[in-house]
């Protein structure tokens, strides 16, 4: 017998597998996914490898074949399905097989068990409540109070949970220990990374609509389902009902969320029903923690895993259901090579393991919705909020051009200032959202809202230091105009405001308000994101200012006003998804307002009030948005109406990047393939690292396979002479700008 083995996964360039012979005694133990030791290279040094195929014959001459030495004792959790998934990723996303393997391997080494420190009260509940009242009087005891409360409510909570969820550090814990208020319990045990945050009991009964959707899904398990339901419409309750059915049959569930910050929320909902059968995986975890979670799954102690896209690589013996909540989120696509899409991986496991796939969103991706329209997926709609009395917010669009015309140059319109004032008086909370997805390099007119776009690609042009504006798809360029080509105004240029500046201005205008800010700068520390969110939810802040981080899924019951400061900023992002992102962000942010029993208000400020993404978002009218958007995609053959491949060429030497990009481009163009359009090469938007020059080439085709074979050609020719010192990577159907 012979096996194909992928050798030493650190060999990044290598796409090939090697064939080895297997002795009788090893054969019994070997299967696809096994980790083996093999001799490799001229010196025959021993390296690790993964078995990707087993076969009876080989074309390779006998005398050249070496034998597999032994099984490696390492437990990687790689299954046959995961190896085949790696192969698919390798093919579709154009990375090395080694890197694809690294991507799908759930754990990479065994880790020693760690001690767990957990805490219980050292005093009676009554004494604790007296103590808490006392601590509450002193602002400086804020953290101590939080810690004591957390421990009283969750006896046995451990150090990590206190830190991750409640923002309590070791010094506060020590202080409580010294005062004898709490006791420490130390045990050797598995690391449990999440503790129930808020207790929320499951609902008694599903509504008739929820029931019928759940039934339709269970009756059509071999299909992919999309639940299109506004925020608060009861999607999560449907997920819970489906999970119940699936684990009753002793099959397992993967529950995906786009961001780590959303894990605790869904965890507490599921925990109320499924208790310890849940495990969590996330990229912030240590290897030890990940390994424990993996073991729980392997030992069948857990049958539900919650996590971001990497949770898709957890090995389950009988996977029954994959749920992707907030399926539209760009976080489901990896930003690193291989830039795989979690949708693809979920569909792959569905095909291989017979799992049902359920996607859910208030603003489905154009791609998934399109697949519903074409009949590939089944669509289920929930148009109303689930709880009686909670209704969708009133949405108002404020025209910033009008504000400018009447002399208000501030970033808050008069309407928004008025409403902030009102909310603060009422004692309810305000969220201000600054859309930063766009690039400040895009050119727009503040008088008429006009955005300058490429005449060929219909995406925004970007300003360069040399006074030109360029298209990042095709390289088209023109001079930066001094006046707006549409209305003649001189207020044309690049615009952008930071959240910090907004915070400063808000504090100036509303000196009495307590302002919290949430963006990349403030969430650098590991726990500060959860901390700020918890603080705002607990009412320890009147106004929360944030970027897209506040857009998704968080539930803030006391928010009555949401202000969107510059709705059109993401329209200026220079890629074909600008409108989709804008629509999604606006709709999601608007959904934050008024969730309990009061109707919320949303104010959208914009320079482009007639843009269809803004208008349809204000009306929460997904279908109209989709119709407009899909006709644009079809006209220009952008995904999902076709496929698009990005070839990214990077080098420390600008001429080399340029030369290589030109060579690749002309080799594709010279093939004159029908059904293929190459555009570029063009300088990329941002040079990520210092002194790295980047060129992009985009290739459009209706056939995925054509793009895959083009990728193969580029890879094989790029290992030769002129391409040394050049780094080439790919993105298939990109969802971000390069
Ligand atoms: P989504 O996931 O769509 O945002 P959720 O499932 O979180 O919606 O539901 C929103 C709110 O409505 C939650 O507080 C939930 O408990 C409540 N809810 C959902 N379905 C029902 C139901 N059938 N009966 C009572 N309350 C419900
Ligand atoms: Zn203008
Ligand atoms: Zn162009």
């Amino acid at each position: 017998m012979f096996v194909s083995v992928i050798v030493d996964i650190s060999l990044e360039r290598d796409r090939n597998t090697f064939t080895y012979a297997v002795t009788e005694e090893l054969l019994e133990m070997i299967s696809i996914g096994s980790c083996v030791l093999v001799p490799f290279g001229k010196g025959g040094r021993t390296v690790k490898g993964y078995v990707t195929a087993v076969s009876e014959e080989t074309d390779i001459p006998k005398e050249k074949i070496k034998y597999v030495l032994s099984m490696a004792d390492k437990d990687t959790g790689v299954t046959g399905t995961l190896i085949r998934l790696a192969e698919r990723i390798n093919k579709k996303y154009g990375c090395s097989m080694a890197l694809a393997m690294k991507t799908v391997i759930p754990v990479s080494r065994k880790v020693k068990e760690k001690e767990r420190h957990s805490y219980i009260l050292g005093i009676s509940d009554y004494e604790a409540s007296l103590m808490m009242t006392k601590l509450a009087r002193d602002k400086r005891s804020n953290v101590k109070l939080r810690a004591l409360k957390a421990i009283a409510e969750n006896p046995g909570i451990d150090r990590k949970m206190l830190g991750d969820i409640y923002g309590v550090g070791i010094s506060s814990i020590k202080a409580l220990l010294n005062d004898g208020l709490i006791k420490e319990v130390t045990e050797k045990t598995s690391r449990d990374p999440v503790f129930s945050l808020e207790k929320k009991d499951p609902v008694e009964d599903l509504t008739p609509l929820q029931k019928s959707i759940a039934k339709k899904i269970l009756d059509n398990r071999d299909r992919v389902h999309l639940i299109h339901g506004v925020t608060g419409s009861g999607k999560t309750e449907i997920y819970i009902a489906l999970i119940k059915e699936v684990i009753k049959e002793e099959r397992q569930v993967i529950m995906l969320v786009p961001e780590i910050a959303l894990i605790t929320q869904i965890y507490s909902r599921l925990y109320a029903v499924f208790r310890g059968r849940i495990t969590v995986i996330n990229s912030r975890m240590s290897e030890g923690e990940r390994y424990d979670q993996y073991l729980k799954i392997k030992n069948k102690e857990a049958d539900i895993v919650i996590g971001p896209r990497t949770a898709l690589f957890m090995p389950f013996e009988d996977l029954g259901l994959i749920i992707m909540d907030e399926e539209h989120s760009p976080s489901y696509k990896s930003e690193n090579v291989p830039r795989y899409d979690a949708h693809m991986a979920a569909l792959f496991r569905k095909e291989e393991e017979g799992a049902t796939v359920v996607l859910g969103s208030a603003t489905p991706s154009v791609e998934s919705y399109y697949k519903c329209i074409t009949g590939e997926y089944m669509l289920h709609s929930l148009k109303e909020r689930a709880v009686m009395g909670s209704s969708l917010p009133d949405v108002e669009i404020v025209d910033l051009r009008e504000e400018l015309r009447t002399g208000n140059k501030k970033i808050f319109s008069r309407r928004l200032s008025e409403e902030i004032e009102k909310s603060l008086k009422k004692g309810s909370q305000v969220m201000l959202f600054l859309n930063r997805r766009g690039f400040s390099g895009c050119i727009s007119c503040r008088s008429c809202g006009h955005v300058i776009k490429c005449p060929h690609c219909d995406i925004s042009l970007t300003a360069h230091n040399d006074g030109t504006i360029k298209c990042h798809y095709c390289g088209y360029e023109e001079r930066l105009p001094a006046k707006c080509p549409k209305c003649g105004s001189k207020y044309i240029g690049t615009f952008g405001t930071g959240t910090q500046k907004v915070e400063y201005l808000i504090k100036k205008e509303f000196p009495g308000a307590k302002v919290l800010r949430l963006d990349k700068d403030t969430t650098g520390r590991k726990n500060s994101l959860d901390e700020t969110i918890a603080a705002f939810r607990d009412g320890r802040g009147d106004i929360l200012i944030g970027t897209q981080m506040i857009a998704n899924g968080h539930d803030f019951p006391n928010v009555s006003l949401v202000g969107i400061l510059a709705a059109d900023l993401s329209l200026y992002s220079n890629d074909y998804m600008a409108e989709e992102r804008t629509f999604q962000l606006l709709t999601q942010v608007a959904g934050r307002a008024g969730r309990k029993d009061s109707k919320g208000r949303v104010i959208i400020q914009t320079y482009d009030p007639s843009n269809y993404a803004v208008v349809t978002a204000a009306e929460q009218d997904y279908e109209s948005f989709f119709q407009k958007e899909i006709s644009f995609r079809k006209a220009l053959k952008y995904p999902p109406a076709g496929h698009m491949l990005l070839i990214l060429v990077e080098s420390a030497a600008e001429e080399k990047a340029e030369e290589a990009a030109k060579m690749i481009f002309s080799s594709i163009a010279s093939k004159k393939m029908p059904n293929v359009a190459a555009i570029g090469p063009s300088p990329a938007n941002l040079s990520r690292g210092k002194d790295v020059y980047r060129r992009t080439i985009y290739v459009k085709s209706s056939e995925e396979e054509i793009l895959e074979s083009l990728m193969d050609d580029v890879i094989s020719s790029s290992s030769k002479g002129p391409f040394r010192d050049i780094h080439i990577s790919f993105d298939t159907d990109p969802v971000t700008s390069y």
Side-chain angles (χ1 to χ4, degrees), residues 454 456-459 471 473-476:
C454 172
H456 311 294
C457 309
D458 206 12
I459 64 161
C471 170
Y473 280 179
C474 73
Y476 168 87

Side-chain angles (χ1 to χ4, degrees), residues 115-119 156-165 168-170 173-174 177 184 186 527:
E115 281 186 342
R116 181 179 125 121
H117 303 279
S118 54
Y119 302 92
I157 187 167
D158 71 18
R159 193 182 283 174
K160 182 161 163 35
M161 299 314 115
L162 278 169
D164 283 3
I165 298 175
V168 173
I170 186 71
I173 296 175
K174 288 227 165 102
L177 281 171
E184 184 172 272
T186 305
N527 300 321

Side-chain angles (χ1 to χ4, degrees), residues 200-208 210 229-240 265 269 325-326 382 385-388 390 555 595:
K200 183 162 177 19
D201 288 327
V203 298
E204 305 250 304
D205 277 307
L206 293 185
T207 62
Q210 283 170 320
V230 297
T231 325
S233 60
K235 295 184 293 298
T236 308
E237 294 298 335
I238 297 180
Y239 302 154
I240 291 172
Q265 196 169 316
R269 292 282 291 274
D325 196 23
E326 313 273 3
L382 284 163
R385 283 189 171 173
V387 181
M388 291 276 286
S390 78
D555 190 358
R595 288 206 63 176

Side-chain angles (χ1 to χ4, degrees), residues 401 444-451 483-492:
R401 301 171 306 180
S444 68
C445 169
R446 284 179 73 183
S447 298
C448 77
H450 180 65
V451 179
K483 285 179 181 169
C484 171
K486 203 170 158 201
C487 75
S489 158
K490 63 182 193 322
Y491 285 109
I492 185 150

Side-chain angles (χ1 to χ4, degrees), residues 87-108:
E87 281 169 346
R88 185 70 200 116
I89 287 175
N90 156 267
K91 200 88 197 115
K92 183 170 164 99
Y93 298 100
C95 68
S96 68
M97 189 59 203
L99 212 51
M101 284 297 292
K102 262 189 194 161
T103 305
V104 305
I105 289 176
V107 282
S108 46

Side-chain angles (χ1 to χ4, degrees), residues 481-552:
K483 285 179 181 169
C484 171
K486 203 170 158 201
C487 75
S489 158
K490 63 182 193 322
Y491 285 109
I492 185 150
T494 59
F495 299 103
T497 317
T499 45
Q500 239 162 328
K501 191 165 163 209
V502 175
E503 182 180 12
Y504 167 78
L505 293 169
I506 270 284
K507 281 181 169 160
K508 217 167 99 182
E509 193 151 335
F510 304 98
K514 185 152 189 327
V515 181
L516 298 173
R517 180 162 64 90
L518 200 61
D519 57 24
K520 276 244 165 71
D521 302 336
T522 61
T523 53
R525 273 194 310 125
K526 200 173 163 199
N527 300 321
S528 51
L529 174 66
D530 291 341
E531 220 173 284
T532 310
I533 288 172
F536 191 62
R537 188 185 289 124
D538 297 350
R540 282 177 278 134
D542 303 310
I543 300 176
L544 176 66
I545 301 169
T547 53
Q548 11 284 338
M549 278 179 191
I550 63 175
N552 267 345

Side-chain angles (χ1 to χ4, degrees), residues 278-347:
I278 310 171
T279 142
V280 171
I281 205 96
N282 77 47
S283 53
R284 278 197 224 161
M285 283 178 174
S286 65
E287 283 210 350
E289 286 163 341
R290 277 225 287 274
Y291 189 75
D292 285 342
Q293 304 314 308
Y294 157 70
L295 274 191
K296 270 198 194 167
I297 289 170
K298 204 175 141 124
N299 300 336
K300 306 212 162 138
E301 287 160 32
D303 25 33
I304 304 166
V305 59
I306 305 176
R309 53 172 196 268
T310 45
L312 271 173
F313 305 125
M314 276 291 134
F316 274 129
E317 230 154 66
D318 194 1
L319 184 63
L321 177 64
I322 301 172
I323 299 170
M324 277 177 88
D325 196 23
E326 313 273 3
E327 69 87 27
H328 63 277
S329 171
S331 314
Y332 280 126
K333 188 115 194 280
S334 170
E335 316 84 55
N336 306 316
V337 176
R339 300 183 175 101
Y340 70 94
D341 183 351
H343 290 81
M344 170 265 159
L347 295 182

